[in-house]
């Protein structure tokens, strides 16, 4: 990995801090509130994909309305994530670099190439349980 920034969001974080300051919203931007807002926006992104098949999910960009919804929700997730990291004093570039390094150690190429299994010792006891609800009914998830 070279020294070029992987996740330099300082300009975005400064813009978000100014946006909040100008509206006197800083008092509402506690880590708890920002984390909850981030989860909510992530849920809105998930909602776009909720009942799509794998193939349909790969083609959402073909429909302009769906593509716009996905784009907007991804932007919302990024905005809340950047603001939360800023409020907590987390250097996102440093955090990303560290996480990538740890993932490379946890998922060595020889073990991980071509499969989606978790790192050794972390596989679910029953792989089918990890992908289906107890009743098998997708509406009960």
């Amino acid at each position: 990995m070279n020294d070029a920034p992987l996740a330099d969001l300082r300009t975005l974080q400064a813009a978000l801090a100014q946006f909040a300051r100008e509206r006197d919203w800083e008092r509402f931007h506690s880590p708890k509130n920002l984390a909850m807002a981030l989860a909510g926006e992530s849920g809105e992104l998930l909602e776009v994909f909720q009942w799509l098949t794998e193939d349909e999910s790969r083609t959402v960009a073909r429909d302009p309305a769906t593509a716009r919804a996905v784009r907007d929700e991804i932007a919302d997730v990024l905005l809340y994530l950047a603001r939360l990291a800023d409020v907590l004093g987390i250097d996102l570039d440093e955090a990303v670099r560290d996480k990538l390094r740890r993932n490379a150690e946890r998922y060595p190429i020889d073990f991980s190439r071509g499969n989606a299994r978790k790192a050794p010792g972390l596989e679910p006891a029953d792989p089918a349980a990890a992908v289906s609800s107890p009743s098998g009914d997708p509406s009960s998830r």
Side-chain angles (χ1 to χ4, degrees):
M1 213 176 326
N2 65 32
D3 291 336
L6 296 176
D8 188 352
L9 299 178
R10 290 176 292 189
T11 304
L12 173 60
Q13 289 172 317
L16 290 169
Q18 180 179 345
F19 186 88
R21 194 171 32 259
E22 290 171 348
R23 289 157 180 79
D24 193 25
W25 286 356
E26 290 173 310
R27 59 189 163 142
F28 305 119
H29 285 191
S30 68
K32 176 197 76 77
N33 287 351
L34 292 168
M36 291 175 67
L38 174 60
E41 294 300 339
S42 296
E44 290 180 21
L45 176 60
L46 287 170
E47 187 177 16
V48 175
F49 292 95
Q50 186 171 12
W51 301 114
L52 301 180
T53 65
E54 291 290 324
D55 288 338
E56 289 169 336
S57 74
R58 297 180 203 290
T59 63
V60 293
R62 292 183 188 160
D63 174 58
T66 307
R68 179 59 180 235
V70 169
R71 179 178 176 231
D72 288 349
E73 297 310 334
I74 287 174
D76 285 340
V77 167
L78 177 61
L79 294 173
Y80 278 114
L81 179 65
R83 183 71 177 135
L84 177 60
D86 188 33
V87 166
L88 291 172
I90 294 171
D91 179 324
L92 283 171
D93 189 63
E94 181 182 312
V96 165
R97 286 176 178 282
D98 181 57
K99 186 62 176 175
L100 283 173
R101 180 191 53 75
R102 288 186 290 134
N103 281 349
E105 292 170 3
R106 186 174 179 193
Y107 296 99
I109 293 170
D110 291 342
F111 170 80
S112 302
R113 186 180 301 279
N115 75 65
R117 290 181 297 171
K118 289 286 208 175
L122 299 178
E123 298 90 355
D126 177 8
V131 295
S132 66
S133 67
S135 69
D137 177 4
S139 66
S140 68
R141 290 183 197 160

